[in-house]
Amino acid sequence: MPYQLKIHAPEGVSVVERGEAESRFCAALANSLGGDALVAPVYAMYQRLVVIYGETPDVEAMVDAEREVFESWQAAETAAMIAAFGTHRYLDEGGFELTITE
């Protein structure tokens, strides 16, 4: 896996529970993006697009390929957050840090 993931979970979450949440998160990312090998490159491109266009860009200003990457990552991240934290999670309950290792 060419990336590392760290889940930031609420207090009281055990090491085992955190590890299980990380596994669910990674599996959901890979499933949404079409494979584990695509997670790091799509995330890297998404990060570049955020630098160029901002966190909440006007997607109409992007070319089709940029928009596809941006929206694909956002959909994958949402699926991963739901897989890790559940459908009724609150934004302050947890988050993640993804680091590309290659």
Side-chain angles (χ1 to χ4, degrees):
M1 182 171 7
Y3 65 93
Q4 292 181 324
L5 178 78
K6 181 179 179 183
I7 291 282
H8 300 287
E11 288 185 34
V13 173
S14 73
V15 172
V16 171
E17 291 171 322
R18 183 184 315 269
E20 290 170 348
E22 288 173 350
S23 292
R24 290 191 307 270
F25 191 100
C26 290
L29 279 179
N31 186 50
S32 292
L33 295 172
D36 193 53
L38 294 174
V39 173
V42 172
Y43 183 67
M45 184 56 158
Y46 173 80
Q47 291 293 85
R48 285 186 207 110
L49 292 171
V50 167
V51 168
I52 295 167
Y53 296 103
E55 290 282 335
T56 54
D58 174 10
V59 292
E60 296 301 318
M62 297 177 171
V63 298
D64 289 345
E66 291 172 331
R67 184 179 327 106
E68 185 176 334
V69 168
F70 193 86
E71 291 175 348
S72 293
W73 178 262
Q74 287 187 323
E77 181 180 324
T78 297
M81 294 293 279
I82 290 170
F85 298 109
T87 56
H88 301 290
R89 63 175 280 294
Y90 296 95
L91 291 176
D92 60 346
E93 284 184 353
F96 72 96
E97 182 178 332
L98 194 143
T99 306
I100 298 172
T101 57
E102 285 188 2

